[in-house]
Amino acid sequence: MPLRTVDWVDGKLVLVDQTLLPHELVMLEPATVRDLVDAIRRLSVRGAPALGVAGAYGVALAARLHPPVSDPAGFDTAVKALRTARPTAVNLARMVDRVAAVASDDPSRALAEAHLVRDEELSASKAMGELGADLVQALCGDGPVRAMTICNTGGLASVERGTALGVIQTLHERGSLIEAIPLETRPLLQGSRLTTWELERMGAPHRLIVDSAASYLLAQGVADVVLIGADRVAANGDTANKIGSFGLALGAADAGVPFIVVAPESTVDPATPSGADIEIEDRGAAEVCAVGDRAIAPAGTAAINPAFDVTPVRLITALVTNRRVVRFDLGEALAPPGSENPLG
Ligand code: MRU
């Protein structure tokens, strides 16, 4: 069976500890909500869909440890800690709320809902891979493509396969990938640590680049398409994703390269009108001033460290979800809030 980033095995929550990759593949088993919140904050589990699934199982854990009817205060505190552990990826709060809404003193209720969340993300990843690969081939011609991507959007960011990297995997399986070009993704290096590890495991050709090479290389014509994931897609299509995505979109627009966002419906947030309404996580100076344990700036250097940015919809060619392709470049729009419920 393929590696699952987050799962429930033999009555326990099991997570890949992504802070240790690519050196060691170690599984974590958070036994308390506090352990899970710490794992989320230090990015042992990360990526919007994986955060949603982890949060869902976190509520199942909370329902077992603090039954909501007999210990409502304990349950509410646990739910609040989970839903606020990281602010930008809408999946976390949304899936925590979804499972909390059905939790009762019978812990199997919350667990069954968390399993549904996991299974929905599994099938969403497969659907996005197919829809996204079809779109790339429609935009770039039927020949094999070179795909640039940022951060990590593979199985590690979901349960299996993932979003943008899942599309790259599907292209590779179709024999339609020349190479993937991942950005290293400073400061936490999700691209160089995690995406290259996943590309290696799937046997897909790839060459890593530093973040600051992306626009130049796009202008040189090294990529046919840029594929990114999302932490939250606002109702107007503005998209929050890993810091560097906005600059990548500007570079792609200048070079005339299609820029495609791949995200499940669970990441599309009709309640957030535009990118200006998305809370961007500030992760503090330490991550900028050091690589791992090694300082790369004089002690005490001040730094600015937004973990995400917002790419305006005008720079996005298309959004691929598990259920639809929205061609912003052709004037299509997401359904406005209050009309058809895109989460179905
Ligand atoms: O800070 P991270 O590593 O959680 O950021 C992850 C990203 O920005 C991903 O691109 C996004 O969550 C989509 S994952 C399929």
Side-chain angles (χ1 to χ4, degrees):
M1 190 163 100
L3 176 70
R4 283 193 174 172
T5 302
V6 45
D7 204 358
W8 189 267
V9 182
D10 298 333
K12 290 182 197 151
L13 175 58
V14 180
L15 310 168
V16 174
D17 186 348
Q18 300 188 39
T19 62
L20 301 178
L21 288 171
H23 308 294
E24 287 175 83
L25 178 56
V26 173
M27 309 306 286
L28 285 177
E29 293 182 1
T32 65
V33 170
R34 174 52 52 202
D35 290 346
L36 176 58
V37 168
D38 289 346
I40 291 171
R41 290 218 176 106
R42 65 171 183 270
L43 272 56
S44 288
V45 57
R46 47 148 296 283
L51 287 170
V53 177
Y57 280 124
V59 178
L61 209 53
R64 188 160 78 188
L65 300 170
H66 310 281
V69 179
S70 36
D71 180 9
F75 182 73
D76 287 351
T77 303
V79 165
K80 190 166 175 223
L82 283 166
R83 81 188 299 289
T84 56
R86 293 190 75 193
T88 305
V90 68
N91 301 59
L92 179 59
R94 174 179 273 166
M95 296 307 154
V96 165
D97 289 348
R98 172 173 157 180
V99 178
V102 302
S104 69
D105 275 10
D106 172 2
S108 69
R109 291 280 309 277
L111 187 58
E113 191 69 17
H115 289 328
L116 275 182
V117 171
R118 174 201 60 193
D119 293 346
E120 285 170 17
E121 291 300 352
L122 278 167
S123 49
S125 284
K126 288 184 195 134
M128 284 182 283
E130 297 298 325
L131 282 175
D134 289 349
L135 176 66
V136 169
Q137 293 188 293
L139 288 169
C140 302
D142 274 340
V145 298
R146 302 156 304 166
M148 191 175 278
T149 190
I150 187 169
C151 196
N152 172 267
T153 59
L156 288 170
S158 187
V159 182
E160 293 173 13
R161 296 187 74 90
T163 62
L165 196 61
V167 172
I168 291 173
Q169 181 172 356
T170 304
L171 288 165
H172 173 58
E173 289 163 355
R174 291 182 183 182
S176 297
L177 181 74
I178 297 172
E179 67 172 348
I181 304 172
L183 275 64
E184 60 176 349
T185 318
R186 278 277 293 148
L188 295 182
L189 303 172
Q190 289 94 330
S192 62
R193 291 188 304 106
L194 308 176
T195 300
T196 54
W197 185 79
E198 292 201 294
L199 286 163
E200 182 69 35
R201 279 166 67 95
M202 66 179 88
H206 56 279
R207 288 187 291 168
L208 180 68
I209 63 171
V210 297
D211 298 333
S212 42
S215 292
Y216 170 71
L217 289 173
L218 285 168
Q220 294 295 301
V222 305
D224 305 297
V225 64
V226 177
L227 292 155
I228 71 160
D231 287 85
R232 187 182 302 231
V233 179
N236 71 344
D238 291 350
T239 294
N241 190 52
K242 181 52 56 192
I243 191 72
S245 300
F246 178 30
L248 192 54
L250 287 167
D254 189 63
V257 172
F259 186 90
I260 300 173
V261 174
V262 186
E265 294 288 342
S266 55
T267 303
V268 180
D269 185 13
T272 297
S274 76
D277 306 294
I278 300 175
E279 182 181 348
I280 299 295
E281 179 181 4
D282 175 349
R283 290 193 59 86
E287 291 175 356
V288 177
C289 298
V291 174
D293 292 337
R294 189 178 169 82
I296 56 166
T301 299
I304 310 172
N305 186 18
F308 303 95
D309 59 25
V310 176
T311 301
V313 65
R314 68 184 156 79
L315 296 174
I316 301 171
T317 307
L319 167 69
V320 176
T321 78
N322 44 312
R323 291 213 268 110
R324 53 188 167 158
V325 172
V326 184
R327 288 285 301 267
F328 297 125
D329 64 336
L330 301 181
E332 293 177 5
L334 280 166
S339 64
E340 182 231 359
N341 175 8
L343 301 170

